[in-house]
Amino acid sequence: MGEQSSVKFPQEVIDEYAALGVDLPALFSAGHLGARMGVTIREASAERVVGTMPVEGNTQPYGLLHGGASAVLAETLGSIGSMLHGGSSRIAVGVDLNCTHHRGVRTGEVTGVATPVHQGRSTATYEIVITDEQDRRVCTARLTCLLREVDGSGRSKMVDEIQEAKERTAE
């Protein structure tokens, strides 16, 4: 997924995951789809997640940024915020995504910023605003994630699966 080492996490979040034996900055990823689409996470906390994505390679037949690409960026950013809000004892599972597309983009890079609308015990909702290089709004999205409790063994299994997937991707 691009420049993993450039992701800025709050130190307390890094410490929380380090206590579980997880190097969060090294592990963090938008997954295979995000990597294929060129999604790069620039900043990540429960209060604000920022990511970018190139338009080139993510267009529909008319040469415009594909609405589904905007949805992938939005869900990635909102999920990251939800995961960080939930902490190391919960996993975030997207249950609702709504996207409104305001304008087309043909070139350059888009930037998404996810901020919380609701941070509850069992759900988290984020608004994601995607803009073009002229800071014009391209898409407004809202993502709600269910926060599921995970016991220690479940967390360990999930971390192992993520690390294995990263190793397969690196091959």
Side-chain angles (χ1 to χ4, degrees):
M1 172 189 89
E3 307 161 21
Q4 295 304 317
S5 61
S6 68
V7 180
K8 298 176 191 166
F9 288 100
Q11 189 60 48
E12 63 271 13
V13 173
I14 293 172
D15 294 344
E16 177 182 356
Y17 283 84
L20 298 170
V22 178
D23 180 355
L24 189 62
L27 181 64
F28 212 73
S29 168
H32 294 292
L33 180 59
R36 237 178 288 140
M37 296 180 71
V39 172
T40 300
I41 306 304
R42 303 290 182 189
E43 174 186 334
S45 74
E47 298 305 318
R48 178 179 157 94
V49 182
V50 179
T52 59
M53 180 179 68
V55 174
E56 184 177 340
N58 294 314
T59 58
Q60 38 89 312
Y62 298 115
L64 298 170
L65 177 65
H66 195 292
S70 293
V72 167
L73 179 60
E75 185 154 358
T76 299
L77 300 178
S79 293
I80 291 168
S82 295
M83 185 264 312
L84 292 171
H85 165 66
S88 61
S89 65
R90 297 186 190 133
I91 59 170
V93 180
V95 295
D96 182 63
L97 177 64
N98 170 335
C99 298
T100 300
H101 306 286
H102 306 292
R103 71 171 53 244
V105 181
R106 291 184 182 278
T107 61
E109 184 176 75
V110 293
T111 299
V113 178
T115 54
V117 173
H118 169 76
Q119 291 177 306
R121 201 176 34 138
S122 60
T123 63
T125 300
Y126 281 74
E127 177 184 58
I128 304 93
V129 174
I130 300 173
T131 57
D132 64 14
E133 290 177 328
Q134 289 74 45
D135 205 30
R136 297 178 297 191
R137 193 176 289 228
V138 173
C139 176
T140 303
R142 187 189 68 243
L143 174 71
T144 299
C145 287
L146 175 66
L147 301 174
R148 295 184 58 195
E149 291 288 334
V150 178
D151 63 21
S153 62
R155 172 60 61 175
S156 298
K157 181 179 178 193
M158 183 182 72
V159 168
D160 290 344
E161 289 172 358
I162 292 170
Q163 288 173 330
E164 288 171 12
K166 282 191 68 78
E167 289 169 4
R168 284 193 304 273
T169 302
E171 294 174 350

